[in-house]
Amino acid sequence: LKGDMAGFYTQADIKELVSYAKHRGIRVVPEFDIPGHARGLIPLEDEGIKFCTTTEDRSQLYNDPGNSTLKVLKELMREMAGLFED
């Protein structure tokens, strides 16, 4: 991400946020808007995410025959699921 919205949350940040919310009766529910916001996955290209094009405005995930995109998405979901209690 670039500009005013640049940045990210660390796993420690997320755990702290979930704990903070839980103590106040609030449930944090993650949202993974795929494929709608697949551009946010561009940093994972080095991990195996593949897009249909290589242009700068690429946004469509490619269901590659080697399943590298699916493997990365499954690992991402598994990792994120471990951060949220529900």
Side-chain angles (χ1 to χ4, degrees):
L1 297 175
K2 299 178 182 177
D4 292 341
M5 302 304 286
F8 59 91
Y9 293 104
T10 65
Q11 289 189 6
D13 292 337
I14 292 172
K15 288 178 183 179
E16 183 180 337
L17 177 66
V18 169
S19 176
Y20 179 87
K22 182 179 179 178
H23 286 92
R24 287 155 181 79
I26 299 168
R27 186 166 110 192
V28 179
V29 179
E31 176 186 1
F32 299 95
D33 190 0
I34 300 171
H37 290 219
R39 289 181 49 80
L41 300 174
I42 290 174
L44 295 177
E45 283 182 304
D46 290 342
E47 302 296 324
I49 288 282
K50 298 197 183 306
F51 289 85
C52 292
T53 66
T54 57
T55 60
E56 191 172 316
D57 65 342
R58 60 198 176 277
S59 63
Q60 295 297 311
L61 293 176
Y62 176 57
N63 185 19
D64 61 286
N67 287 325
S68 65
T69 297
L70 181 60
K71 288 175 189 172
V72 172
L73 289 175
K74 282 183 174 183
E75 180 58 31
L76 173 65
M77 296 302 158
R78 212 175 350 271
E79 184 177 332
M80 293 296 106
L83 299 174
F84 298 89
E85 296 179 12
D86 293 332

